[in-house]
Amino acid sequence: MTQQPGLDGVLGVEHIEAGPDKVVARFTIGEQHLQPFGIPHGGVYCSVHESTASSAAYIWLQERDPESVVVGTNNICDFLRQAKLGDVIDVTATPIQRGRTQQLWRVESHDQDGRLIAQGQVRLANIKPR
């Protein structure tokens, strides 16, 4: 586990780069990421994609409206290539659209050889907590 709170910590995700226009996270495929058949569980990619996009969206939104937060409203993830135990996965979130009420982020997961493993989009709502 890492020092990251919540599910990112359980999954061993570390943030490599964090800014309003891009967030890069990294994790290494371990036993905790595998489904019963011995291959990485697709839900791991979905989860890391959402948290990476959420981090980026939040950083961007805080510069504009420090009282607001972001919440995920849609997460689409395509699994393109199977990673294996020990592979290092870099997850990069970049903006497609950022507006007053919602944001859309592109997220890609590449292995240590630069091969695209999974890709998707995460839509987030900008909200003010009550």
Side-chain angles (χ1 to χ4, degrees):
M1 291 204 305
T2 69
Q3 296 299 94
Q4 293 286 351
L7 187 56
D8 277 357
V10 171
L11 294 175
V13 176
E14 58 180 315
H15 288 172
I16 304 303
E17 180 181 339
D21 298 318
K22 180 167 91 170
V23 166
V24 180
R26 177 175 291 154
F27 68 100
T28 301
I29 300 288
E31 295 286 338
Q32 74 274 27
H33 301 111
L34 304 180
Q35 56 173 259
F37 309 111
I39 61 175
H41 194 292
V44 171
Y45 298 108
C46 291
S47 297
V48 178
H49 281 196
E50 184 156 342
S51 65
T52 304
S54 294
S55 295
Y58 180 75
I59 292 168
W60 179 82
L61 185 60
Q62 286 296 289
E63 292 180 353
R64 283 140 190 84
D65 185 358
E67 295 178 14
S68 290
V69 297
V70 296
V71 295
T73 60
N74 193 33
N75 183 340
I76 300 169
C77 191
D78 298 307
F79 315 115
L80 307 171
R81 178 185 299 271
Q82 181 179 314
K84 62 186 181 312
L85 198 62
D87 281 351
V88 176
I89 308 297
D90 283 345
V91 181
T92 304
T94 55
I96 296 172
Q97 184 273 334
R98 298 179 286 194
R100 184 179 54 80
T101 61
Q102 62 182 353
Q103 301 182 49
L104 182 62
W105 288 76
R106 175 175 291 111
V107 188
E108 295 183 347
S109 291
H110 291 86
D111 69 8
Q112 66 277 350
D113 297 321
R115 295 178 295 198
L116 186 60
I117 301 296
Q119 64 90 40
Q121 294 180 0
V122 177
R123 182 171 298 282
L124 302 119
N126 304 331
I127 63 171
K128 284 195 187 287
R130 294 180 182 193

